[in-house]
Amino acid sequence: MKKFTKTTRYLPKNWSDEAEAILQRHKREGHKLPSRHLLRTEEQLEGIRESAKINTALLDYLSENIREGMSTAEIDHMVYAFTTDHGAIPAPFLYEGFPKSVCTSINDVVCHGIPSPHEYLKSGDIVNVDVSTIYKGYFSDASRMYLIGEVSPEMRRLVEVTRECRDIGVAAARPWARLGDVGAAIQEHAEKNGYSVVRDLCGHGCGVKFHEEPDVEHFGRRGTGMLIVPGMTFTIEPMINMGTYEVFVDEADGWTVCTDDGLPSAQWESMILITETGNEVLTQ
Ligand code: MF3
Ligand code: CO
């Protein structure tokens, strides 16, 4: 007969007994904990880091090659070629029916824009390029904004503040803080600058699957939400609008998310690992 040994430990072995003790205290206090399968083992972290390295190299490559006059389909081709040349798979491709390898979202497109051979980057555009990689079964995810030609000061400022929102969110994502602390910090910075935070889309756990628990909202209240625990890997990817936070999905393709008022939106995305002392940025 197989012997059943009850384990009382919550964290995987690669995290310290001290962290385990702190976690048990929070558990007794009744805080919502992440499911154990979301806390990464050493083996998973190794694979996730390799995937993340390719994802970051891809964004660096795009930074050097995206130009005015190029179509978004050309960006898609670069993403597909670079990713497969590195022995990896672009995660968006055929994900829930998404038809391309990357999301390209220009100006009032908030996210999930579909690359097209008929859509050209023109001077004054701001474009978000969101890339996600599968390597040896492990997932990574990140996005950056690219400024095309002469961009207005108003739109430049939106892009800069959005990047600050992402960085402030990352700084707030520390062990034993709460997910609401991350959302609140981002929301405060966006609204202080006269912008709004998109409510309908959020960051997410990522690593073993493309999108896993928890949802990481970019707005909220401090001291609420799931406890942040060493070993979690998730994205922080605020979408910040110049006008209203309301968005709609283009009925024609079922994917493209646009601002209700047609004003521009920006997004920067990082994926992080929560460590025992803070976090490690895996992608940006
Ligand atoms: N990369 C996006 C994210 O940050 C998800 C895109 S889903 C896709 O979560 F199907 F559009 F690719
Ligand atoms: Co993401």
Side-chain angles (χ1 to χ4, degrees):
M1 200 208 270
K2 198 163 171 255
K3 205 171 152 207
F4 176 73
T5 337
K6 188 168 186 293
T7 163
T8 50
R9 197 180 162 86
Y10 202 93
L11 288 170
K13 282 203 291 292
N14 48 326
W15 304 101
S16 73
D17 295 344
E18 194 189 335
E20 175 69 21
I22 302 172
L23 180 138
Q24 292 297 344
R25 179 164 56 74
H26 283 282
K27 190 177 171 200
R28 281 196 300 277
E29 286 168 10
H31 295 150
K32 183 171 164 40
L33 305 187
S35 313
R36 298 167 79 128
H37 73 272
L38 298 175
L39 306 174
R40 305 309 179 195
T41 64
E42 247 148 321
E43 188 188 338
Q44 289 170 339
L45 279 179
E46 200 174 301
I48 292 167
R49 283 202 181 91
E50 283 182 75
S51 174
K53 241 181 224 148
I54 299 170
N55 204 70
T56 301
L58 168 57
L59 282 171
D60 290 342
Y61 170 74
L62 294 177
S63 300
E64 291 188 356
N65 288 286
I66 287 179
R67 317 210 179 299
E68 184 180 338
M70 177 178 271
S71 74
T72 47
E74 286 174 72
I75 298 177
D76 183 60
H77 295 149
M78 287 194 285
V79 170
Y80 182 83
F82 187 98
T83 308
T84 52
D85 283 352
H86 287 75
I89 302 166
F93 188 59
L94 300 182
Y95 176 76
E96 293 186 5
F98 190 80
K100 300 285 175 182
S101 297
V102 59
C103 298
T104 49
S105 306
I106 303 176
N107 300 336
D108 65 312
V109 177
V110 174
C111 63
H112 301 169
I114 303 174
S116 156
H118 309 296
E119 180 183 56
Y120 294 93
L121 301 179
K122 56 181 197 312
S123 182
D125 283 345
I126 56 171
V127 57
N128 174 273
V129 180
D130 190 336
V131 302
S132 319
T133 299
I134 315 174
Y135 185 67
K136 294 183 184 163
Y138 292 104
F139 290 79
S140 54
D141 194 4
S143 78
R144 295 183 192 168
M145 295 298 295
Y146 297 95
L147 304 177
I148 311 301
E150 295 292 312
V151 173
S152 72
E154 291 77 16
M155 280 163 76
R156 270 176 197 276
R157 190 171 148 288
L158 173 69
V159 170
E160 276 163 31
V161 170
T162 303
R163 188 176 184 150
E164 289 163 9
C165 284
R166 191 269 316 265
D167 294 345
I168 286 167
V170 168
R174 306 181 55 78
W176 324 123
R178 308 281 288 276
L179 282 179
D181 302 342
V182 175
I186 292 170
Q187 182 179 9
E188 234 167 64
H189 191 67
E191 292 179 355
K192 189 175 77 191
N193 281 281
Y195 300 139
S196 67
V197 179
V198 172
R199 305 288 204 261
D200 292 351
L201 298 125
C202 54
H204 50 93
C206 185
V208 171
K209 292 193 283 181
F210 192 176
H211 294 111
E212 44 193 329
E213 282 178 70
D215 284 351
V216 180
E217 289 180 334
H218 305 109
F219 62 98
R221 279 189 305 118
R222 288 200 167 74
T224 66
M226 186 184 281
L227 185 72
I228 300 175
V229 172
M232 294 173 82
T233 53
F234 57 83
T235 71
I236 296 179
E237 48 179 307
M239 284 143 275
I240 306 297
N241 293 355
M242 202 177 271
T244 176
Y245 61 68
E246 298 287 355
V247 300
F248 69 93
V249 178
D250 185 343
E251 277 174 28
D253 62 29
W255 278 101
T256 311
V257 179
C258 306
T259 60
D260 253 10
D261 55 14
L263 290 176
S265 179
Q267 179 181 28
W268 290 84
E269 175 177 17
S270 269
M271 179 172 158
I272 60 174
L273 162 70
I274 302 303
T275 62
E276 291 189 42
T277 53
N279 63 58
E280 177 185 324
V281 174
L282 298 169
T283 67
Q284 67 178 14

